């Protein structure tokens, strides 16, 4: 407390005492205890009031020691186990013990990572993927705004995610890599990638593209072989050298039988090649015995036509052909779905063929559509005409039940153009999307399905759907969401009539390192999603005939079975809704591919560049003592003592005010009680 404040308090006491002496004792003839009590109460009231005005305070300093955070980040992927699991764990334990000696200067944290970052101080070296950049990004988020150093124990081989060398240029924390694994460079052949379609059609040839790389000095000529279901279907000698160290092999393989085909591509190993695991790669594709033929019929040239063709053909099971309405009708005999783009009177013969064949159709309206002709030629819907051209925004119909559209987002989608009026659905219709005009939701369909006794139809009330596909790319850098949405619509139009209440979503091919999951959507008889259903799935290994059965778990709007624990093989499965005995079946293959086995040595060069980009330094296991010493002596990581000054009022304002009120009240009561004025 300052001396000035102390003097003010003493002065306040003297002033209060002076006032009391003047009021109660100066020229006063009264004596006794009553006079003393009254004068004391008056002194308390006056002195308390003066203390409130002075408001005395005192300050105190609190000191804290702020340490640097030191993160021990360990690679838990199986690639480290290839060089000796015990040795890698031993290096980790040794460094962890060494780092503990720095606890006086550092707050020590231990994390491990594979595909994801986790807080743990034990290693199992069982992760099937490595994502170093994601682990570093997670640490940046956890320790943002603090002084932190990271010791990274890894072989530097990353299998998924952003290249950590480039991510290091944006890295905020200094990285000190410790290189684990073999640092010796060996001659090595590798099949780095295989590209092919996911589907092929029976009796057709499908393309196969193989990328080969070579790390060595001598000229070599390994033999490339391609097997399909263990049958040799292609082979070729490949010439490689230290100058020409990459090759791309392109070939065509015939799909002779239906089903899932396992494809194995191999390279004959070098005489002294240490890692031959990357000389072989497996993949699979499904051979189909039929495909969906879609015909787009139009009299006008419009970007929508190209967008529809590209989107529908993104699924290799579908083939799209473009015709004018005056085309020879014999060419349309094998069509499964007719897309009628802005029909007019020239479409009369096409509509007659659709009605004769009870075919399914998808009608797209626009500013060139003849609405009078359209209303007269078919009985599925009526369109009012005579409206001006206007912009129609889309609003999803959450109650749509024909198929799942929950994954389709309309965020930032541009409007469609149309001069059509309200559309009246005459059959059993259900809108997928509704119209929104100038921010107002209209109870009118923008995209709707219609079911008749023997056919299905869809109608889109507007042109420029190509802009939706472009917007999907702007949002996600891919067309996947839009193409999947349109693909579901085409699939709905090509399947047999009737509503499907139990729908499965799965892939026919899974990599062993990927998440193998099967999703299911189930609706009750009112076609409302049933969140209380009991769905079981039975999976049978076709090679061993062993089976597993377990329930599918409820997620956000769907059911899911996580099958990522399955070993590589081909499986059949059947999913059953127990209370209705409703079931769906299928098959899939899990490939035997381990990305962690593709490396023959550690990538210390990339780790060194990461260290340089983050003002860190690279170390090897025999230099751990030097690493600990460098961290201990680095001035950047010296603990910082911080002080905080706290100002505390000497007297509680409310408490003192209460004393003043009590003293004055008690003095008044005593005076009145004793008849004093």
């Amino acid at each position: 407390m300052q001396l000035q404040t102390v003097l003010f308090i003493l002065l306040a006491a003297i002033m209060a005492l002076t006032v009391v002496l003047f009021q109660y004792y100066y020229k006063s003839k009264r004596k006794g205890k009553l006079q003393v009590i009254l004068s004391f109460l008056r002194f308390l009231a006056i002195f308390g009031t003066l203390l409130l005005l002075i408001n005395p305070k005192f300050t105190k300093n609190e000191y804290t020691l702020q340490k640097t955070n030191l993160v021990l980040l360990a690679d838990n992927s199986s690639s480290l186990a290839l060089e000796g699991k015990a040795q890698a764990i031993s290096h980790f334990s040794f460094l962890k013990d060494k780092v503990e000696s720095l606890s006086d200067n550092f707050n020590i944290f231990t994390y491990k990572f594979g595909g994801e970052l986790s807080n743990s101080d034990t290693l199992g070296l069982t992760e099937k993927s490595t994502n170093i950049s994601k682990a570093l990004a997670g640490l940046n988020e956890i320790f943002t705004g603090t002084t932190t150093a990271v010791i990274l124990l890894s072989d530097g081989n990353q299998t998924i995610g952003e290249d950590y060398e480039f991510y290091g240029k944006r890295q905020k924390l200094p990285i000190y890599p410790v290189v684990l694994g073999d640092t010796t460079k060996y001659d090595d052949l590798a099949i780095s990638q295989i590209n092919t379609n996911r589907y092929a059609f029976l009796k057709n040839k499908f393309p196969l593209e193989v990328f080969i790389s070579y790390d060595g000095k001598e000229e070599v000529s390994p033999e490339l072989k391609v097997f399909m279901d263990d049958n040799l279907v292609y082979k070729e000698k490949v010439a490689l050298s230290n100058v020409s160290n990459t090759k791309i092999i392109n070939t065509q393989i015939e799909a002779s039988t239906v089903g899932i085909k396992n494809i194995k591509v191999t390279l004959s190993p070098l005489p002294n090649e240490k890692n031959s695991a990357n000389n072989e790669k497996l993949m699979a594709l499904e051979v189909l015995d039929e495909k969906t033929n879609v015909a787009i019929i139009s009299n006008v040239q419009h970007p929508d036509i190209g967008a529809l063709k590209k989107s529908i053909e993104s699924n290799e099971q579908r083939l799209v052909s473009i015709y004018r309405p005056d085309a020879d009708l014999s060419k349309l005999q094998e069509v499964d779905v007719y897309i009628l783009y802005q029909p007019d009177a020239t479409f009369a013969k096409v509509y007659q063929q659709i009605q004769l064949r009870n075919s399914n159709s998808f009608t797209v309206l626009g500013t060139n559509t003849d609405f009078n002709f359209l209303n007269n030629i078919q009985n599925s819907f009526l369109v009012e005409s005579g409206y001006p051209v206007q912009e129609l925004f889309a609003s999803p119909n959450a109650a749509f039940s024909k198929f799942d559209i929950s994954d389709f987002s309309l965020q930032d989608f541009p409007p469609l153009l149309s001069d059509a009026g309200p559309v009246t659905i005459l059959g059993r219709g259900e809108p997928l999307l509704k119209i929104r005009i100038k921010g107002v939701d209209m109870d009118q369909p923008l995209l709707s399905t219609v079911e008749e006794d023997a056919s299905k139809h869809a109608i889109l009330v507007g042109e420029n759907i190509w802009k939706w596909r472009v917007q999907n790319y702007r949002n996600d850098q891919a067309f996947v969401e839009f193409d999947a949405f349109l693909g579901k619509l085409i699939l709905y139009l090509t399947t047999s009539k009737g509503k499907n209440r139990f729908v499965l979503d799965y892939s026919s091919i899974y990599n062993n390192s990927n998440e193998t999951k099967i999703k299911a959507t189930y609706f009750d008889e009112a076609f409302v999603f049933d969140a209380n259903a009991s769905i079981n799935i039975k999976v049978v290994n076709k090679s061993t005939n062993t089976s597993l059965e377990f329930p599918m778990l409820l997620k956000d709007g769907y059911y899911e079975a996580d099958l990522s624990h399955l070993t590589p093989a081909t499986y059949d499965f059947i999913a059953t809704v127990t209370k209705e005995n409703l079931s769906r079946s299928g098959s899939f293959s899990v490939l035997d591919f381990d990305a962690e086995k593709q490396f023959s040595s550690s990538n210390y060069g990339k780790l060194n560049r990461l260290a340089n980009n983050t003002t860190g330094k690279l170390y090897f296991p025999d230099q751990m003592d030097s690493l600990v010493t460098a961290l201990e002596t680095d001035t950047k990581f010296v603990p910082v003592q911080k002080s905080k000054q706290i100002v505390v009022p000497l007297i509680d304002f409310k408490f003192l005010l209460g004393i003043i009120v009590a003293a004055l009240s008690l003095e008044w009561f005593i005076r009145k009680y004793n008849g004093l004025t």
Side-chain angles (χ1 to χ4, degrees):
M1 188 184 302
Q2 296 181 354
L3 179 60
Q4 183 181 7
T5 304
V6 175
L7 292 176
F8 278 135
I9 294 174
L10 290 175
L11 182 60
I14 293 170
M15 290 177 63
L17 184 59
T18 302
V19 172
V20 169
L21 290 175
F22 177 78
Q23 289 181 337
Y24 281 94
Y25 294 98
Y26 180 69
K27 294 182 180 182
S28 177
K29 297 179 180 180
R30 295 188 183 92
K31 304 292 182 181
K33 290 184 179 180
L34 181 61
Q35 192 78 348
V36 174
I37 293 172
L38 292 174
S39 61
F40 176 72
L41 292 174
R42 180 61 61 90
F43 174 80
L44 282 181
I46 297 173
F47 182 63
T49 303
L50 293 174
L51 280 182
L52 287 178
L53 296 175
I54 296 171
N55 191 20
K57 301 176 182 177
F58 69 94
T59 60
K60 65 176 181 179
N61 293 322
E62 287 188 356
Y63 296 93
T64 57
L65 189 66
Q66 184 171 332
K67 300 180 183 180
T68 298
N69 298 318
L70 181 59
V71 179
L72 194 59
L73 179 63
D75 189 342
N76 194 40
S77 62
S78 59
S79 61
L80 291 175
L82 300 177
E83 297 298 331
K85 183 174 181 178
Q87 185 179 25
I89 294 177
S90 174
H91 288 321
F92 172 70
S93 299
F94 179 77
L95 182 57
K96 187 170 63 171
D97 293 339
K98 283 287 184 183
V99 167
E100 289 295 331
S101 65
L102 302 176
S103 58
D104 291 339
N105 296 336
F106 293 89
N107 297 316
I108 299 171
F109 302 89
T110 306
Y111 289 84
K112 67 180 180 181
F113 69 94
E116 302 288 340
L117 179 69
S118 61
N119 189 352
S120 177
D121 60 354
T122 58
L123 292 183
L125 305 182
T126 56
E127 298 280 350
K128 296 297 183 182
S129 58
T130 309
N131 194 340
I132 298 176
S133 58
K134 187 173 183 179
L136 295 178
L139 293 182
N140 272 321
E141 185 175 344
I142 294 170
F143 296 100
T144 183
T146 64
T147 304
T148 304
V150 179
I151 300 176
L152 172 63
L153 287 88
S154 176
D155 58 5
N157 294 318
Q158 179 169 297
T159 57
I160 59 173
E162 179 184 358
D163 191 324
Y164 66 87
E165 179 183 347
F166 294 102
Y167 177 80
K169 296 178 180 179
R170 310 193 308 272
Q171 171 71 21
K172 301 174 184 178
L173 311 177
I175 309 298
Y176 295 85
V178 177
V179 183
L180 300 181
D182 193 349
T183 58
T184 306
K185 290 293 183 183
Y186 300 94
D187 290 352
D188 186 50
L189 282 170
I191 300 173
S192 54
Q193 187 174 340
I194 302 177
N195 292 332
T196 191
N197 299 331
R198 289 186 58 188
Y199 300 95
F201 299 114
L202 185 63
K203 304 303 181 182
N204 288 348
K205 289 187 175 183
F206 60 90
L208 184 70
E209 186 177 48
V210 183
F211 291 80
I212 301 171
S213 63
Y214 170 60
D215 187 4
K217 297 180 180 179
E218 303 295 330
E219 293 185 357
V220 295
S221 299
E223 187 174 42
L224 174 75
K225 294 182 179 180
V226 180
F227 298 86
M228 186 162 66
D229 287 344
D230 296 327
N231 296 316
L232 180 65
V233 293
Y234 180 81
K235 67 179 180 178
E236 178 183 342
K237 285 279 188 180
V238 183
L240 297 165
S241 67
N242 63 334
V243 177
S244 177
N245 57 4
T246 60
K247 290 285 184 179
I248 301 176
I249 306 299
N250 289 286
T251 185
Q252 299 279 331
I253 308 296
E254 184 175 356
S256 56
T257 57
V258 175
I260 296 176
K261 303 299 176 184
N262 293 310
I263 297 176
K264 179 171 70 173
V265 182
T266 64
L267 269 177
S268 56
L270 300 174
N272 298 317
E273 189 170 2
K274 182 181 180 182
N275 180 22
S276 59
N278 55 10
N279 290 34
E280 178 179 296
K281 239 178 178 48
L282 300 174
M283 62 167 301
L285 59 79
E286 186 174 3
V287 179
L288 307 172
D289 61 354
E290 61 180 15
K291 57 188 174 183
T292 301
N293 291 310
V294 180
I296 300 178
I297 303 172
S298 175
N299 247 340
V300 298
Q301 294 181 344
H302 197 283
D304 282 354
I305 297 174
L308 290 169
K309 179 177 172 64
K310 282 284 188 181
S311 180
I312 295 171
E313 288 187 340
S314 64
N315 186 328
E316 292 87 348
Q317 297 182 74
R318 302 184 180 116
L319 177 65
V320 177
S321 302
I322 302 173
Y323 300 97
R324 293 183 61 84
D326 57 359
D328 187 352
L329 294 181
S330 61
K331 297 180 180 179
L332 305 178
Q333 290 296 325
E334 302 300 323
V335 172
D336 298 301
V337 178
Y338 294 81
I339 298 181
L340 308 170
Y341 190 80
Q342 303 204 40
D344 55 24
T346 61
F347 281 65
K349 291 183 179 179
V350 176
Y351 271 101
Q352 290 174 5
Q353 185 176 32
I354 291 174
Q355 292 167 1
L356 288 173
R357 297 182 59 207
N358 287 322
S359 298
N360 303 327
S361 69
F362 177 24
T363 305
V364 181
L365 308 184
T367 55
N368 295 303
T369 306
D370 186 340
F371 298 122
N372 291 328
F373 163 78
L374 190 60
N375 290 335
N376 292 327
I377 199 68
Q378 50 78 41
N379 299 314
S380 299
F381 52 83
L382 289 175
V383 184
E384 294 186 25
S385 58
Y387 286 77
V389 176
Q390 56 187 339
E391 294 182 340
L392 307 179
F393 288 87
S395 174
N397 177 20
F400 182 74
S401 60
K402 305 291 184 183
F403 49 86
D404 183 18
I405 61 171
S406 59
D407 293 336
F408 184 56
S409 172
L410 292 165
Q411 181 180 359
D412 300 326
F413 271 36
L416 304 182
L417 287 181
S418 177
D419 59 351
V423 176
T424 302
I425 304 300
L426 301 179
R428 299 187 302 274
E430 191 172 351
L432 285 80
L433 307 174
K434 293 186 177 182
I435 292 174
R436 176 182 295 158
I437 300 177
K438 296 181 179 180
V440 178
D441 289 327
M442 313 295 291
D443 192 20
Q444 291 293 327
L446 179 67
L447 175 60
S448 182
T449 60
V450 187
E451 290 187 0
E452 296 180 352
D453 292 337
S455 60
K456 297 178 180 178
H457 307 282
I459 177 172
L460 176 64
V461 189
E463 61 183 78
N464 290 341
I465 196 174
W466 67 272
K467 294 183 179 180
W468 287 11
R469 195 167 190 259
V470 171
Q471 187 62 47
N472 182 207
Y473 189 85
R474 287 177 179 170
N475 292 347
D476 304 330
Q477 287 72 54
F479 302 110
V480 174
E481 190 175 287
F482 177 85
D483 292 350
F485 172 75
L486 192 59
K488 289 179 180 179
L489 178 61
I490 297 299
L491 180 62
Y492 163 78
L493 293 174
T494 55
T495 53
S496 59
K497 69 184 183 72
K499 300 179 180 180
N500 194 350
R501 294 168 47 205
F502 187 31
V503 181
L504 295 181
D505 180 14
Y506 67 98
S507 175
S508 58
I509 303 161
Y510 295 97
N511 286 324
N512 192 32
S513 58
N514 291 345
E515 290 188 347
T516 308
K517 295 181 178 179
I518 296 178
K519 297 179 181 180
T521 307
Y522 171 68
F523 299 94
D524 60 20
E525 293 184 0
F527 278 85
V528 176
F529 177 77
D530 189 347
N532 298 314
S534 175
I535 303 178
N536 292 331
I537 185 168
K538 182 179 181 181
V539 182
V540 180
N541 188 318
K542 295 179 70 173
S543 301
T544 63
N545 206 31
T546 56
S547 63
L548 293 171
E549 186 171 358
F550 44 87
M552 300 185 75
L553 302 179
L554 178 65
K555 299 291 184 177
D556 186 14
Y558 60 91
Y559 292 86
E560 183 179 83
D562 188 349
L563 308 175
S564 55
H565 61 282
L566 294 179
T567 57
T570 300
Y571 295 87
D572 290 330
F573 71 91
I574 181 169
T576 306
V577 182
T578 55
K579 69 179 182 180
E580 291 196 29
N581 201 28
L582 185 64
S583 63
R584 295 285 183 270
S585 61
S587 62
F588 61 89
S589 291
V590 180
L591 303 182
D592 185 14
F593 175 73
D594 188 351
E596 297 296 324
K597 295 180 180 179
Q598 305 303 303
F599 307 100
S600 58
S601 59
S602 60
N603 197 340
Y604 63 88
K606 187 183 283 286
L607 287 173
N608 188 45
R609 291 190 291 273
L610 172 66
N612 293 335
N613 288 335
T614 60
T615 68
K617 186 179 178 182
L618 181 75
Y619 292 88
F620 293 92
D622 59 354
Q623 298 174 315
M624 291 185 185
D625 289 331
S626 300
L627 169 60
V628 173
T629 302
L631 291 171
E632 192 173 21
T633 57
D634 196 324
T635 56
K636 297 196 302 288
F637 306 133
V638 173
V640 178
Q641 188 181 59
K642 291 191 174 183
S643 65
K644 181 170 64 174
Q645 189 176 70
I646 302 174
V647 179
V648 181
L650 182 62
I651 299 172
D652 186 281
F653 176 85
K654 294 181 180 178
F655 179 73
L656 183 56
L657 186 60
I659 291 177
I660 294 170
V661 172
L664 290 173
S665 300
L666 187 57
E667 181 191 6
W668 178 86
F669 178 78
I670 293 174
R671 291 178 67 87
K672 291 298 182 182
Y673 182 80
N674 291 278
L676 301 176
T677 58

